[in-house]
Amino acid sequence: MDHITFLVAVVIVTALAFDFTNGFHDTANAMATSIATGALAPRTAVLISGVLNVVGAFLSTEVARTISGGIVDDALVTPGMIFAGLVGAILWNLLTWLLGLPSSSSHALFGGLIGAVWVGAGRHGVHFGKVVEKVLVPAVASPVVAGIAALLATWLAYRLTDRAREESVAKGFRIGQIASASLVSLAHGTNDAQKTMGVITLTLIAAGALGPDAGPPLWVVASAGLAIGLGTYLGGWRIIRTMGKGLTEIRSPQGFAAETASTTVILTSAHLGFALSTTQVASGSILGAGLGRRLAEVRWSVAGRMAVAWVITLPAAALIGGGAAAAVQHGGDLGTAVVAVVGTALAAGIVVLSRRNPVHARNVNDTHEVSLRDEPPAKVGAAA
């Protein structure tokens, strides 16, 4: 415990704060389609998802090892760099949540760390080969694979049930969605909670509390799982609205197909140690499910905005993380304090802005767009 300095403790708390934002930012990945089709009530959905995210955090540590000993050189990383990278990731998560954009929390984290380590330790501190292999290639391939799988599954579902009564089909697939959405939540915990485990483990290695190439201790696994579970239960309603209503009008067979495809891709990647974006996987699955139903409408303008967010997430978070790292590196404790204060103020400002157009469990299915406005919010029960 002698290695746990004040800065290390601050980094651990900040990492868990990121994990919390990751939870509410990515709730939509598991539950947006089930909420949109009425398979699960909104509050019930986020409760189930939160519990299963905690369970999933204990199932594997391969992704955590990818982060703690893969994309950056842990011998050159300092707790200050990790703190700066986390600030970049948190701010980007909050900004995209405000706009209702399902961007990648994973790429926000990777971008923040890469930018901070590049500024703090130089270009050689980043293993760009590993970044390409473990991050960029899965980022391109996973939504395509998930989309094709969901398209084929949707086509098959409708082909097998085309002579059945529509009411019976919808009821049966809604029951199936409860199971498939639960599996997505479990898979999300095995993938995304591990990213925070990896960051905390990297911090402990940098501080000398753990040896090189060490895996996450049990308390790290438990705290990361709890943080992402609590964030998931909070419910990222703004992004749930975009994914559930924004890309296409989802029916229960499509929702079941999308969730099953997402689960398969996420669990496979977690087993192989690929730290992919569950947001991109889930979005690709929903798009594939939309294309798989004949005459279904796919809103390509929404998909285009999401794609732009995907492309700029990693470099945008890297810029913020790099700027924060420069302040920490040159300003020492004062620079760290300034970054903390400015980051907290910006985060609070984003939360205040979100209250101009609140999205919550009661209105999450009202419309398919999230926007900001200057007038006061409507009364409870009105569309937001």
Side-chain angles (χ1 to χ4, degrees), residues 1 10 34 36 40 59 71 100 112 141 157 174 187 191 208 216 218-219 225 238 270-271 285 293 311 326 330 341 353:
M1 296 298 290
V10 168
S34 293
L40 286 168
L59 297 184
I71 64 173
R174 284 189 186 123
N191 197 283
L218 180 60
W219 69 267
R238 306 174 81 83
H271 176 71
S285 295
R293 178 167 68 89
V311 170
H330 297 294
V341 170
L353 280 175

mmCIF file with all atom_site columns, all heavy atoms in Angstrom, residues 1 10 34 36 40 59 71 100 112 141 157 174 187 191 208 216 218-219 225 238 270-271 285 293 311 326 330 341 353:
data_model
loop_
_atom_site.group_PDB
_atom_site.id
_atom_site.type_symbol
_atom_site.label_atom_id
_atom_site.label_alt_id
_atom_site.label_comp_id
_atom_site.label_asym_id
_atom_site.label_entity_id
_atom_site.label_seq_id
_atom_site.pdbx_PDB_ins_code
_atom_site.Cartn_x
_atom_site.Cartn_y
_atom_site.Cartn_z
_atom_site.occupancy
_atom_site.B_iso_or_equiv
_atom_site.pdbx_formal_charge
_atom_site.auth_seq_id
_atom_site.auth_comp_id
_atom_site.auth_asym_id
_atom_site.auth_atom_id
_atom_site.pdbx_PDB_model_num
ATOM 1   N N   . MET A 1 1   ? 0.817   -1.216  0.000   1.00 0.00 ? 1   MET A N   1
ATOM 2   C CA  . MET A 1 1   ? 0.000   0.000   0.000   1.00 0.00 ? 1   MET A CA  1
ATOM 3   C C   . MET A 1 1   ? 0.849   1.264   0.000   1.00 0.00 ? 1   MET A C   1
ATOM 4   O O   . MET A 1 1   ? 0.343   2.355   -0.230  1.00 0.00 ? 1   MET A O   1
ATOM 5   C CB  . MET A 1 1   ? -0.933  0.011   1.220   1.00 0.00 ? 1   MET A CB  1
ATOM 6   C CG  . MET A 1 1   ? -1.967  -1.110  1.218   1.00 0.00 ? 1   MET A CG  1
ATOM 7   S SD  . MET A 1 1   ? -3.095  -1.027  -0.195  1.00 0.00 ? 1   MET A SD  1
ATOM 8   C CE  . MET A 1 1   ? -4.032  0.434   0.228   1.00 0.00 ? 1   MET A CE  1
ATOM 9   N N   . VAL A 1 10  ? -6.093  9.404   -6.847  1.00 0.00 ? 10  VAL A N   1
ATOM 10  C CA  . VAL A 1 10  ? -6.901  10.276  -7.706  1.00 0.00 ? 10  VAL A CA  1
ATOM 11  C C   . VAL A 1 10  ? -7.143  9.613   -9.064  1.00 0.00 ? 10  VAL A C   1
ATOM 12  O O   . VAL A 1 10  ? -8.254  9.663   -9.610  1.00 0.00 ? 10  VAL A O   1
ATOM 13  C CB  . VAL A 1 10  ? -6.212  11.649  -7.884  1.00 0.00 ? 10  VAL A CB  1
ATOM 14  C CG1 . VAL A 1 10  ? -6.884  12.454  -8.986  1.00 0.00 ? 10  VAL A CG1 1
ATOM 15  C CG2 . VAL A 1 10  ? -6.245  12.426  -6.573  1.00 0.00 ? 10  VAL A CG2 1
ATOM 16  N N   . SER A 1 34  ? -34.869 -3.520  -26.890 1.00 0.00 ? 34  SER A N   1
ATOM 17  C CA  . SER A 1 34  ? -35.894 -4.123  -26.027 1.00 0.00 ? 34  SER A CA  1
ATOM 18  C C   . SER A 1 34  ? -36.843 -3.066  -25.477 1.00 0.00 ? 34  SER A C   1
ATOM 19  O O   . SER A 1 34  ? -38.049 -3.314  -25.331 1.00 0.00 ? 34  SER A O   1
ATOM 20  C CB  . SER A 1 34  ? -35.222 -4.873  -24.871 1.00 0.00 ? 34  SER A CB  1
ATOM 21  O OG  . SER A 1 34  ? -34.518 -5.991  -25.344 1.00 0.00 ? 34  SER A OG  1
ATOM 22  N N   . ALA A 1 36  ? -37.443 -0.173  -27.049 1.00 0.00 ? 36  ALA A N   1
ATOM 23  C CA  . ALA A 1 36  ? -38.182 0.351   -28.205 1.00 0.00 ? 36  ALA A CA  1
ATOM 24  C C   . ALA A 1 36  ? -39.339 -0.562  -28.602 1.00 0.00 ? 36  ALA A C   1
ATOM 25  O O   . ALA A 1 36  ? -40.398 -0.081  -29.021 1.00 0.00 ? 36  ALA A O   1
ATOM 26  C CB  . ALA A 1 36  ? -37.236 0.550   -29.390 1.00 0.00 ? 36  ALA A CB  1
ATOM 27  N N   . LEU A 1 40  ? -39.263 -4.922  -22.674 1.00 0.00 ? 40  LEU A N   1
ATOM 28  C CA  . LEU A 1 40  ? -38.956 -4.632  -21.280 1.00 0.00 ? 40  LEU A CA  1
ATOM 29  C C   . LEU A 1 40  ? -39.332 -3.186  -20.970 1.00 0.00 ? 40  LEU A C   1
ATOM 30  O O   . LEU A 1 40  ? -39.141 -2.302  -21.811 1.00 0.00 ? 40  LEU A O   1
ATOM 31  C CB  . LEU A 1 40  ? -37.466 -4.836  -20.996 1.00 0.00 ? 40  LEU A CB  1
ATOM 32  C CG  . LEU A 1 40  ? -36.956 -6.277  -20.911 1.00 0.00 ? 40  LEU A CG  1
ATOM 33  C CD1 . LEU A 1 40  ? -35.428 -6.297  -20.932 1.00 0.00 ? 40  LEU A CD1 1
ATOM 34  C CD2 . LEU A 1 40  ? -37.471 -6.972  -19.653 1.00 0.00 ? 40  LEU A CD2 1
ATOM 35  N N   . LEU A 1 59  ? -16.001 -12.420 -15.538 1.00 0.00 ? 59  LEU A N   1
ATOM 36  C CA  . LEU A 1 59  ? -15.881 -13.598 -16.398 1.00 0.00 ? 59  LEU A CA  1
ATOM 37  C C   . LEU A 1 59  ? -14.566 -13.706 -17.146 1.00 0.00 ? 59  LEU A C   1
ATOM 38  O O   . LEU A 1 59  ? -14.184 -14.799 -17.565 1.00 0.00 ? 59  LEU A O   1
ATOM 39  C CB  . LEU A 1 59  ? -17.040 -13.621 -17.404 1.00 0.00 ? 59  LEU A CB  1
ATOM 40  C CG  . LEU A 1 59  ? -18.438 -13.751 -16.809 1.00 0.00 ? 59  LEU A CG  1
ATOM 41  C CD1 . LEU A 1 59  ? -19.471 -13.850 -17.919 1.00 0.00 ? 59  LEU A CD1 1
ATOM 42  C CD2 . LEU A 1 59  ? -18.532 -14.967 -15.886 1.00 0.00 ? 59  LEU A CD2 1
ATOM 43  N N   . ILE A 1 71  ? -1.283  -1.480  -25.634 1.00 0.00 ? 71  ILE A N   1
ATOM 44  C CA  . ILE A 1 71  ? -1.261  -0.355  -26.560 1.00 0.00 ? 71  ILE A CA  1
ATOM 45  C C   . ILE A 1 71  ? -0.254  0.733   -26.173 1.00 0.00 ? 71  ILE A C   1
ATOM 46  O O   . ILE A 1 71  ? 0.108   1.555   -27.016 1.00 0.00 ? 71  ILE A O   1
ATOM 47  C CB  . ILE A 1 71  ? -2.668  0.260   -26.724 1.00 0.00 ? 71  ILE A CB  1
ATOM 48  C CG1 . ILE A 1 71  ? -3.166  0.858   -25.406 1.00 0.00 ? 71  ILE A CG1 1
ATOM 49  C CG2 . ILE A 1 71  ? -3.653  -0.774  -27.249 1.00 0.00 ? 71  ILE A CG2 1
ATOM 50  C CD1 . ILE A 1 71  ? -4.480  1.621   -25.567 1.00 0.00 ? 71  ILE A CD1 1
ATOM 51  N N   . GLY A 1 100 ? -26.687 12.905  -27.718 1.00 0.00 ? 100 GLY A N   1
ATOM 52  C CA  . GLY A 1 100 ? -27.400 11.680  -28.043 1.00 0.00 ? 100 GLY A CA  1
ATOM 53  C C   . GLY A 1 100 ? -26.706 10.841  -29.084 1.00 0.00 ? 100 GLY A C   1
ATOM 54  O O   . GLY A 1 100 ? -27.338 10.049  -29.785 1.00 0.00 ? 100 GLY A O   1
ATOM 55  N N   . GLY A 1 112 ? -7.748  9.053   -25.415 1.00 0.00 ? 112 GLY A N   1
ATOM 56  C CA  . GLY A 1 112 ? -7.216  9.846   -24.308 1.00 0.00 ? 112 GLY A CA  1
ATOM 57  C C   . GLY A 1 112 ? -5.867  9.348   -23.833 1.00 0.00 ? 112 GLY A C   1
ATOM 58  O O   . GLY A 1 112 ? -4.931  10.128  -23.613 1.00 0.00 ? 112 GLY A O   1
ATOM 59  N N   . ALA A 1 141 ? -13.909 -3.944  -38.591 1.00 0.00 ? 141 ALA A N   1
ATOM 60  C CA  . ALA A 1 141 ? -14.505 -5.241  -38.920 1.00 0.00 ? 141 ALA A CA  1
ATOM 61  C C   . ALA A 1 141 ? -15.741 -5.566  -38.094 1.00 0.00 ? 141 ALA A C   1
ATOM 62  O O   . ALA A 1 141 ? -16.713 -6.131  -38.623 1.00 0.00 ? 141 ALA A O   1
ATOM 63  C CB  . ALA A 1 141 ? -13.461 -6.337  -38.723 1.00 0.00 ? 141 ALA A CB  1
ATOM 64  N N   . ALA A 1 157 ? -35.515 -14.935 -39.509 1.00 0.00 ? 157 ALA A N   1
ATOM 65  C CA  . ALA A 1 157 ? -36.614 -14.873 -38.547 1.00 0.00 ? 157 ALA A CA  1
ATOM 66  C C   . ALA A 1 157 ? -37.939 -14.610 -39.252 1.00 0.00 ? 157 ALA A C   1
ATOM 67  O O   . ALA A 1 157 ? -38.968 -15.251 -38.962 1.00 0.00 ? 157 ALA A O   1
ATOM 68  C CB  . ALA A 1 157 ? -36.337 -13.795 -37.509 1.00 0.00 ? 157 ALA A CB  1
ATOM 69  N N   . ARG A 1 174 ? -40.511 -11.016 -28.284 1.00 0.00 ? 174 ARG A N   1
ATOM 70  C CA  . ARG A 1 174 ? -40.300 -10.142 -27.120 1.00 0.00 ? 174 ARG A CA  1
ATOM 71  C C   . ARG A 1 174 ? -39.764 -10.933 -25.937 1.00 0.00 ? 174 ARG A C   1
ATOM 72  O O   . ARG A 1 174 ? -38.897 -10.463 -25.198 1.00 0.00 ? 174 ARG A O   1
ATOM 73  C CB  . ARG A 1 174 ? -41.602 -9.435  -26.749 1.00 0.00 ? 174 ARG A CB  1
ATOM 74  C CG  . ARG A 1 174 ? -41.964 -8.295  -27.684 1.00 0.00 ? 174 ARG A CG  1
ATOM 75  C CD  . ARG A 1 174 ? -43.138 -7.500  -27.159 1.00 0.00 ? 174 ARG A CD  1
ATOM 76  N NE  . ARG A 1 174 ? -43.566 -6.515  -28.131 1.00 0.00 ? 174 ARG A NE  1
ATOM 77  C CZ  . ARG A 1 174 ? -44.784 -6.422  -28.640 1.00 0.00 ? 174 ARG A CZ  1
ATOM 78  N NH1 . ARG A 1 174 ? -45.722 -7.275  -28.244 1.00 0.00 ? 174 ARG A NH1 1
ATOM 79  N NH2 . ARG A 1 174 ? -45.087 -5.491  -29.516 1.00 0.00 ? 174 ARG A NH2 1
ATOM 80  N N   . ALA A 1 187 ? -22.230 -9.686  -21.886 1.00 0.00 ? 187 ALA A N   1
ATOM 81  C CA  . ALA A 1 187 ? -21.076 -9.539  -22.764 1.00 0.00 ? 187 ALA A CA  1
ATOM 82  C C   . ALA A 1 187 ? -20.434 -8.168  -22.612 1.00 0.00 ? 187 ALA A C   1
ATOM 83  O O   . ALA A 1 187 ? -19.204 -8.031  -22.644 1.00 0.00 ? 187 ALA A O   1
ATOM 84  C CB  . ALA A 1 187 ? -21.503 -9.766  -24.217 1.00 0.00 ? 187 ALA A CB  1
ATOM 85  N N   . ASN A 1 191 ? -16.442 -7.062  -21.571 1.00 0.00 ? 191 ASN A N   1
ATOM 86  C CA  . ASN A 1 191 ? -15.583 -6.285  -22.464 1.00 0.00 ? 191 ASN A CA  1
ATOM 87  C C   . ASN A 1 191 ? -15.282 -4.904  -21.890 1.00 0.00 ? 191 ASN A C   1
ATOM 88  O O   . ASN A 1 191 ? -14.126 -4.565  -21.655 1.00 0.00 ? 191 ASN A O   1
ATOM 89  C CB  . ASN A 1 191 ? -16.243 -6.163  -23.841 1.00 0.00 ? 191 ASN A CB  1
ATOM 90  C CG  . ASN A 1 191 ? -15.269 -5.737  -24.924 1.00 0.00 ? 191 ASN A CG  1
ATOM 91  O OD1 . ASN A 1 191 ? -14.907 -4.578  -25.019 1.00 0.00 ? 191 ASN A OD1 1
ATOM 92  N ND2 . ASN A 1 191 ? -14.838 -6.689  -25.743 1.00 0.00 ? 191 ASN A ND2 1
ATOM 93  N N   . GLY A 1 208 ? 4.520   1.078   -9.352  1.00 0.00 ? 208 GLY A N   1
ATOM 94  C CA  . GLY A 1 208 ? 5.344   0.066   -8.702  1.00 0.00 ? 208 GLY A CA  1
ATOM 95  C C   . GLY A 1 208 ? 4.591   -0.823  -7.743  1.00 0.00 ? 208 GLY A C   1
ATOM 96  O O   . GLY A 1 208 ? 5.193   -1.635  -7.044  1.00 0.00 ? 208 GLY A O   1
ATOM 97  N N   . PRO A 1 216 ? -5.225  -7.758  -13.314 1.00 0.00 ? 216 PRO A N   1
ATOM 98  C CA  . PRO A 1 216 ? -5.931  -6.940  -12.326 1.00 0.00 ? 216 PRO A CA  1
ATOM 99  C C   . PRO A 1 216 ? -6.234  -7.712  -11.045 1.00 0.00 ? 216 PRO A C   1
ATOM 100 O O   . PRO A 1 216 ? -6.722  -8.843  -11.106 1.00 0.00 ? 216 PRO A O   1
ATOM 101 C CB  . PRO A 1 216 ? -7.228  -6.550  -13.054 1.00 0.00 ? 216 PRO A CB  1
ATOM 102 C CG  . PRO A 1 216 ? -7.417  -7.602  -14.093 1.00 0.00 ? 216 PRO A CG  1
ATOM 103 C CD  . PRO A 1 216 ? -6.052  -8.029  -14.509 1.00 0.00 ? 216 PRO A CD  1
ATOM 104 N N   . LEU A 1 218 ? -8.283  -8.689  -7.551  1.00 0.00 ? 218 LEU A N   1
ATOM 105 C CA  . LEU A 1 218 ? -9.716  -8.911  -7.357  1.00 0.00 ? 218 LEU A CA  1
ATOM 106 C C   . LEU A 1 218 ? -10.448 -7.621  -7.007  1.00 0.00 ? 218 LEU A C   1
ATOM 107 O O   . LEU A 1 218 ? -11.564 -7.383  -7.493  1.00 0.00 ? 218 LEU A O   1
ATOM 108 C CB  . LEU A 1 218 ? -9.943  -9.967  -6.267  1.00 0.00 ? 218 LEU A CB  1
ATOM 109 C CG  . LEU A 1 218 ? -11.411 -10.292 -5.952  1.00 0.00 ? 218 LEU A CG  1
ATOM 110 C CD1 . LEU A 1 218 ? -12.126 -10.827 -7.194  1.00 0.00 ? 218 LEU A CD1 1
ATOM 111 C CD2 . LEU A 1 218 ? -11.496 -11.297 -4.802  1.00 0.00 ? 218 LEU A CD2 1
ATOM 112 N N   . TRP A 1 219 ? -9.851  -6.770  -6.156  1.00 0.00 ? 219 TRP A N   1
ATOM 113 C CA  . TRP A 1 219 ? -10.544 -5.544  -5.767  1.00 0.00 ? 219 TRP A CA  1
ATOM 114 C C   . TRP A 1 219 ? -10.723 -4.604  -6.957  1.00 0.00 ? 219 TRP A C   1
ATOM 115 O O   . TRP A 1 219 ? -11.715 -3.859  -7.028  1.00 0.00 ? 219 TRP A O   1
ATOM 116 C CB  . TRP A 1 219 ? -9.806  -4.839  -4.624  1.00 0.00 ? 219 TRP A CB  1
ATOM 117 C CG  . TRP A 1 219 ? -8.471  -4.220  -4.970  1.00 0.00 ? 219 TRP A CG  1
ATOM 118 C CD1 . TRP A 1 219 ? -7.242  -4.786  -4.847  1.00 0.00 ? 219 TRP A CD1 1
ATOM 119 C CD2 . TRP A 1 219 ? -8.249  -2.900  -5.491  1.00 0.00 ? 219 TRP A CD2 1
ATOM 120 N NE1 . TRP A 1 219 ? -6.261  -3.924  -5.265  1.00 0.00 ? 219 TRP A NE1 1
ATOM 121 C CE2 . TRP A 1 219 ? -6.840  -2.755  -5.652  1.00 0.00 ? 219 TRP A CE2 1
ATOM 122 C CE3 . TRP A 1 219 ? -9.083  -1.839  -5.841  1.00 0.00 ? 219 TRP A CE3 1
ATOM 123 C CZ2 . TRP A 1 219 ? -6.269  -1.576  -6.140  1.00 0.00 ? 219 TRP A CZ2 1
ATOM 124 C CZ3 . TRP A 1 219 ? -8.512  -0.668  -6.332  1.00 0.00 ? 219 TRP A CZ3 1
ATOM 125 C CH2 . TRP A 1 219 ? -7.117  -0.548  -6.478  1.00 0.00 ? 219 TRP A CH2 1
ATOM 126 N N   . GLY A 1 225 ? -16.448 -3.456  -11.943 1.00 0.00 ? 225 GLY A N   1
ATOM 127 C CA  . GLY A 1 225 ? -17.754 -4.032  -12.241 1.00 0.00 ? 225 GLY A CA  1
ATOM 128 C C   . GLY A 1 225 ? -18.885 -3.268  -11.579 1.00 0.00 ? 225 GLY A C   1
ATOM 129 O O   . GLY A 1 225 ? -19.925 -3.006  -12.189 1.00 0.00 ? 225 GLY A O   1
ATOM 130 N N   . ARG A 1 238 ? -30.693 9.404   -23.357 1.00 0.00 ? 238 ARG A N   1
ATOM 131 C CA  . ARG A 1 238 ? -30.538 10.160  -24.598 1.00 0.00 ? 238 ARG A CA  1
ATOM 132 C C   . ARG A 1 238 ? -30.023 9.269   -25.725 1.00 0.00 ? 238 ARG A C   1
ATOM 133 O O   . ARG A 1 238 ? -30.481 9.349   -26.869 1.00 0.00 ? 238 ARG A O   1
ATOM 134 C CB  . ARG A 1 238 ? -29.589 11.346  -24.376 1.00 0.00 ? 238 ARG A CB  1
ATOM 135 C CG  . ARG A 1 238 ? -29.982 12.248  -23.219 1.00 0.00 ? 238 ARG A CG  1
ATOM 136 C CD  . ARG A 1 238 ? -28.946 13.321  -22.938 1.00 0.00 ? 238 ARG A CD  1
ATOM 137 N NE  . ARG A 1 238 ? -29.084 14.441  -23.858 1.00 0.00 ? 238 ARG A NE  1
ATOM 138 C CZ  . ARG A 1 238 ? -29.942 15.435  -23.692 1.00 0.00 ? 238 ARG A CZ  1
ATOM 139 N NH1 . ARG A 1 238 ? -30.776 15.451  -22.656 1.00 0.00 ? 238 ARG A NH1 1
ATOM 140 N NH2 . ARG A 1 238 ? -29.985 16.430  -24.550 1.00 0.00 ? 238 ARG A NH2 1
ATOM 141 N N   . ALA A 1 270 ? -14.028 -10.605 -26.656 1.00 0.00 ? 270 ALA A N   1
ATOM 142 C CA  . ALA A 1 270 ? -13.523 -10.619 -25.284 1.00 0.00 ? 270 ALA A CA  1
ATOM 143 C C   . ALA A 1 270 ? -12.627 -11.838 -25.060 1.00 0.00 ? 270 ALA A C   1
ATOM 144 O O   . ALA A 1 270 ? -11.585 -11.750 -24.398 1.00 0.00 ? 270 ALA A O   1
ATOM 145 C CB  . ALA A 1 270 ? -14.683 -10.624 -24.288 1.00 0.00 ? 270 ALA A CB  1
ATOM 146 N N   . HIS A 1 271 ? -13.014 -12.975 -25.628 1.00 0.00 ? 271 HIS A N   1
ATOM 147 C CA  . HIS A 1 271 ? -12.203 -14.185 -25.487 1.00 0.00 ? 271 HIS A CA  1
ATOM 148 C C   . HIS A 1 271 ? -10.848 -14.035 -26.172 1.00 0.00 ? 271 HIS A C   1
ATOM 149 O O   . HIS A 1 271 ? -9.831  -14.529 -25.683 1.00 0.00 ? 271 HIS A O   1
ATOM 150 C CB  . HIS A 1 271 ? -12.962 -15.376 -26.084 1.00 0.00 ? 271 HIS A CB  1
ATOM 151 C CG  . HIS A 1 271 ? -12.190 -16.656 -26.072 1.00 0.00 ? 271 HIS A CG  1
ATOM 152 N ND1 . HIS A 1 271 ? -11.915 -17.351 -24.908 1.00 0.00 ? 271 HIS A ND1 1
ATOM 153 C CD2 . HIS A 1 271 ? -11.605 -17.361 -27.084 1.00 0.00 ? 271 HIS A CD2 1
ATOM 154 C CE1 . HIS A 1 271 ? -11.209 -18.433 -25.204 1.00 0.00 ? 271 HIS A CE1 1
ATOM 155 N NE2 . HIS A 1 271 ? -11.005 -18.461 -26.507 1.00 0.00 ? 271 HIS A NE2 1
ATOM 156 N N   . SER A 1 285 ? -25.350 -3.961  -35.676 1.00 0.00 ? 285 SER A N   1
ATOM 157 C CA  . SER A 1 285 ? -26.401 -4.976  -35.602 1.00 0.00 ? 285 SER A CA  1
ATOM 158 C C   . SER A 1 285 ? -27.777 -4.372  -35.868 1.00 0.00 ? 285 SER A C   1
ATOM 159 O O   . SER A 1 285 ? -28.605 -4.965  -36.562 1.00 0.00 ? 285 SER A O   1
ATOM 160 C CB  . SER A 1 285 ? -26.388 -5.645  -34.220 1.00 0.00 ? 285 SER A CB  1
ATOM 161 O OG  . SER A 1 285 ? -25.192 -6.369  -34.019 1.00 0.00 ? 285 SER A OG  1
ATOM 162 N N   . ARG A 1 293 ? -35.263 -6.453  -42.778 1.00 0.00 ? 293 ARG A N   1
ATOM 163 C CA  . ARG A 1 293 ? -36.734 -6.498  -42.892 1.00 0.00 ? 293 ARG A CA  1
ATOM 164 C C   . ARG A 1 293 ? -37.174 -5.770  -44.148 1.00 0.00 ? 293 ARG A C   1
ATOM 165 O O   . ARG A 1 293 ? -36.817 -4.612  -44.350 1.00 0.00 ? 293 ARG A O   1
ATOM 166 C CB  . ARG A 1 293 ? -37.385 -5.865  -41.649 1.00 0.00 ? 293 ARG A CB  1
ATOM 167 C CG  . ARG A 1 293 ? -38.919 -5.851  -41.734 1.00 0.00 ? 293 ARG A CG  1
ATOM 168 C CD  . ARG A 1 293 ? -39.533 -5.515  -40.389 1.00 0.00 ? 293 ARG A CD  1
ATOM 169 N NE  . ARG A 1 293 ? -39.288 -4.150  -39.985 1.00 0.00 ? 293 ARG A NE  1
ATOM 170 C CZ  . ARG A 1 293 ? -40.085 -3.118  -40.297 1.00 0.00 ? 293 ARG A CZ  1
ATOM 171 N NH1 . ARG A 1 293 ? -41.154 -3.307  -41.055 1.00 0.00 ? 293 ARG A NH1 1
ATOM 172 N NH2 . ARG A 1 293 ? -39.798 -1.915  -39.869 1.00 0.00 ? 293 ARG A NH2 1
ATOM 173 N N   . VAL A 1 311 ? -15.497 8.203   -36.241 1.00 0.00 ? 311 VAL A N   1
ATOM 174 C CA  . VAL A 1 311 ? -14.212 8.528   -36.859 1.00 0.00 ? 311 VAL A CA  1
ATOM 175 C C   . VAL A 1 311 ? -13.424 9.528   -36.021 1.00 0.00 ? 311 VAL A C   1
ATOM 176 O O   . VAL A 1 311 ? -12.199 9.405   -35.872 1.00 0.00 ? 311 VAL A O   1
ATOM 177 C CB  . VAL A 1 311 ? -14.429 9.070   -38.291 1.00 0.00 ? 311 VAL A CB  1
ATOM 178 C CG1 . VAL A 1 311 ? -13.131 9.633   -38.856 1.00 0.00 ? 311 VAL A CG1 1
ATOM 179 C CG2 . VAL A 1 311 ? -14.964 7.964   -39.199 1.00 0.00 ? 311 VAL A CG2 1
ATOM 180 N N   . ALA A 1 326 ? -0.023  17.750  -21.147 1.00 0.00 ? 326 ALA A N   1
ATOM 181 C CA  . ALA A 1 326 ? 0.943   18.847  -21.191 1.00 0.00 ? 326 ALA A CA  1
ATOM 182 C C   . ALA A 1 326 ? 0.831   19.709  -19.938 1.00 0.00 ? 326 ALA A C   1
ATOM 183 O O   . ALA A 1 326 ? 1.852   20.123  -19.357 1.00 0.00 ? 326 ALA A O   1
ATOM 184 C CB  . ALA A 1 326 ? 0.706   19.690  -22.445 1.00 0.00 ? 326 ALA A CB  1
ATOM 185 N N   . HIS A 1 330 ? 3.994   19.870  -17.286 1.00 0.00 ? 330 HIS A N   1
ATOM 186 C CA  . HIS A 1 330 ? 4.713   21.124  -17.070 1.00 0.00 ? 330 HIS A CA  1
ATOM 187 C C   . HIS A 1 330 ? 4.274   21.849  -15.796 1.00 0.00 ? 330 HIS A C   1
ATOM 188 O O   . HIS A 1 330 ? 5.024   22.675  -15.281 1.00 0.00 ? 330 HIS A O   1
ATOM 189 C CB  . HIS A 1 330 ? 4.523   22.048  -18.276 1.00 0.00 ? 330 HIS A CB  1
ATOM 190 C CG  . HIS A 1 330 ? 5.083   21.494  -19.548 1.00 0.00 ? 330 HIS A CG  1
ATOM 191 N ND1 . HIS A 1 330 ? 6.433   21.290  -19.747 1.00 0.00 ? 330 HIS A ND1 1
ATOM 192 C CD2 . HIS A 1 330 ? 4.480   21.070  -20.692 1.00 0.00 ? 330 HIS A CD2 1
ATOM 193 C CE1 . HIS A 1 330 ? 6.637   20.788  -20.950 1.00 0.00 ? 330 HIS A CE1 1
ATOM 194 N NE2 . HIS A 1 330 ? 5.466   20.644  -21.546 1.00 0.00 ? 330 HIS A NE2 1
ATOM 195 N N   . VAL A 1 341 ? -9.907  20.746  -11.934 1.00 0.00 ? 341 VAL A N   1
ATOM 196 C CA  . VAL A 1 341 ? -10.927 21.770  -11.745 1.00 0.00 ? 341 VAL A CA  1
ATOM 197 C C   . VAL A 1 341 ? -11.616 22.096  -13.066 1.00 0.00 ? 341 VAL A C   1
ATOM 198 O O   . VAL A 1 341 ? -12.848 22.173  -13.146 1.00 0.00 ? 341 VAL A O   1
ATOM 199 C CB  . VAL A 1 341 ? -10.305 23.038  -11.127 1.00 0.00 ? 341 VAL A CB  1
ATOM 200 C CG1 . VAL A 1 341 ? -11.302 24.197  -11.153 1.00 0.00 ? 341 VAL A CG1 1
ATOM 201 C CG2 . VAL A 1 341 ? -9.857  22.763  -9.703  1.00 0.00 ? 341 VAL A CG2 1
ATOM 202 N N   . LEU A 1 353 ? -26.497 21.711  -19.278 1.00 0.00 ? 353 LEU A N   1
ATOM 203 C CA  . LEU A 1 353 ? -27.067 21.853  -20.621 1.00 0.00 ? 353 LEU A CA  1
ATOM 204 C C   . LEU A 1 353 ? -28.069 20.737  -20.930 1.00 0.00 ? 353 LEU A C   1
ATOM 205 O O   . LEU A 1 353 ? -29.084 20.981  -21.594 1.00 0.00 ? 353 LEU A O   1
ATOM 206 C CB  . LEU A 1 353 ? -25.951 21.842  -21.663 1.00 0.00 ? 353 LEU A CB  1
ATOM 207 C CG  . LEU A 1 353 ? -25.172 23.138  -21.871 1.00 0.00 ? 353 LEU A CG  1
ATOM 208 C CD1 . LEU A 1 353 ? -24.024 22.902  -22.851 1.00 0.00 ? 353 LEU A CD1 1
ATOM 209 C CD2 . LEU A 1 353 ? -26.081 24.241  -22.392 1.00 0.00 ? 353 LEU A CD2 1
#
